[in-house]
Amino acid sequence: NAGVTQTPKFRVLKTGQSMTLLCAQDMNHEYMYWYRQDPGMGLRLIHYSVGEGTTAKGEVPDGYNVSRLKKQNFLLGLESAAPSQTSVYFCASTKGRANTEAFFGQGTRLTVV
Amino acid sequence: AQTVTQSQPEMSVQEAETVTLSCTYDTSESDYYLFWYKQPPSRQMILVIRQEAYKQQNATENRFSVNFQKAAKSFSLKISDSQLGDAAMYFCAYRSPNSGNTPLVFGKGTRLSVIA
């Protein structure tokens, strides 16, 4: 059971380039989330999805887009990368009930130069 | 909106000693869920312990226990018999039960060092 898998683990982009981060979960979870982690800021929610075909904005959505075409996959896109998007990105998934554990991917370290 | 505050950016503890990490939160809800996550240098987020607000009994998981003070909106984590492997970032998190889709709200984290 792989849990939550993020691809890629590391990436360096030039300013203005685009890329897509892939999150895949094999636990049949309804809910999926993208967070970014910056030093001294904790984890901040970018976007989330409550089911296939649905997405919603989180705390820091600007500059990012997401899609959930399949239940098991949640994609995070950067259309025109900026140095301010240098961060570690985490995907997470949960079942429906609020007291259940959130499972996290291993993170993607993105550097925009 | 709910907020989670961890007032200690860094803490240190001697091996085999006990340390307490602080967490406070702000909410108008009466029922909710609280979590502590550990993030070692590997970056993996690991659930340490969870607490349901309607339960008066403090949660315990081996050497990890919480002091949940609902009226004070405080949720501290106590680590007993600290080990070198406990060195990590620790995040306190809140989740609302009002709809199952609500995300976790995290504090900014406390970096714990364990001194041999």
Side-chain angles (χ1 to χ4, degrees):
Chain A
N1 191 341
V4 179
T5 303
Q6 290 182 230
T7 308
K9 293 183 176 59
F10 302 93
R11 185 73 185 268
V12 178
L13 283 181
K14 293 183 179 179
T15 298
Q17 286 184 319
S18 63
M19 78 164 294
T20 300
L21 281 67
L22 169 64
C23 177
Q25 53 95 3
D26 60 2
M27 297 171 285
N28 201 35
H29 284 174
E30 288 294 330
Y31 310 127
M32 298 185 73
Y33 314 92
W34 276 107
Y35 290 89
R36 61 177 288 173
Q37 182 181 11
D38 302 291
M41 299 297 292
L43 279 78
R44 293 181 293 169
L45 183 68
I46 304 172
H47 286 280
Y48 63 103
S49 168
V50 303
E52 182 178 320
T54 71
T55 63
K57 293 180 179 180
E59 180 186 355
V60 288
D62 294 343
Y64 305 95
N65 57 77
V66 288
S67 65
R68 183 101 180 265
L69 299 179
K70 294 183 179 180
K71 186 177 182 179
Q72 64 267 33
N73 294 337
F74 194 29
L75 306 179
L76 177 70
L78 287 74
E79 289 187 349
S80 180
S84 61
Q85 295 177 304
T86 293
S87 187
V88 178
Y89 293 85
F90 284 95
C91 176
S93 71
T94 63
K95 287 184 178 179
R97 291 178 293 127
N99 66 337
T100 55
E101 178 180 355
F103 291 83
F104 286 81
Q106 72 273 42
T108 297
R109 181 176 292 280
L110 175 66
T111 302
V112 183
V113 297
Chain B
Q2 293 84 11
T3 57
V4 176
T5 302
Q6 292 179 250
S7 58
Q8 307 153 316
E10 296 182 349
M11 292 281 286
S12 62
V13 62
Q14 292 280 347
E15 199 175 2
E17 296 296 311
T18 296
V19 64
T20 298
L21 309 184
S22 301
C23 173
T24 59
Y25 55 93
D26 185 24
T27 183
S28 58
E29 296 172 318
S30 60
D31 194 19
Y32 45 85
Y33 302 95
L34 298 165
F35 305 83
W36 277 99
Y37 278 86
K38 171 185 178 181
Q39 186 183 45
S42 66
R43 282 203 319 241
Q44 186 64 44
M45 294 287 285
I46 303 164
L47 177 66
V48 175
I49 200 165
R50 81 186 85 187
Q51 174 79 42
E52 289 136 334
Y54 64 85
K55 290 186 177 180
Q56 293 185 339
Q57 186 173 5
N58 289 328
T60 299
E61 289 287 344
N62 300 314
R63 297 182 295 106
F64 298 87
S65 62
V66 298
N67 182 5
F68 174 50
Q69 301 290 327
K70 190 172 184 179
K73 297 179 182 176
S74 171
F75 182 59
S76 59
L77 175 70
K78 185 172 82 171
I79 306 174
S80 304
D81 186 24
S82 296
Q83 300 174 0
L84 294 177
D86 295 334
M89 281 290 288
Y90 287 83
F91 292 99
C92 179
Y94 172 103
R95 192 172 185 197
S96 168
N98 288 333
S99 59
N101 61 351
T102 55
L104 284 165
V105 177
F106 286 90
K108 294 184 177 181
T110 297
R111 182 174 300 281
L112 178 67
S113 301
V114 180
I115 303 166

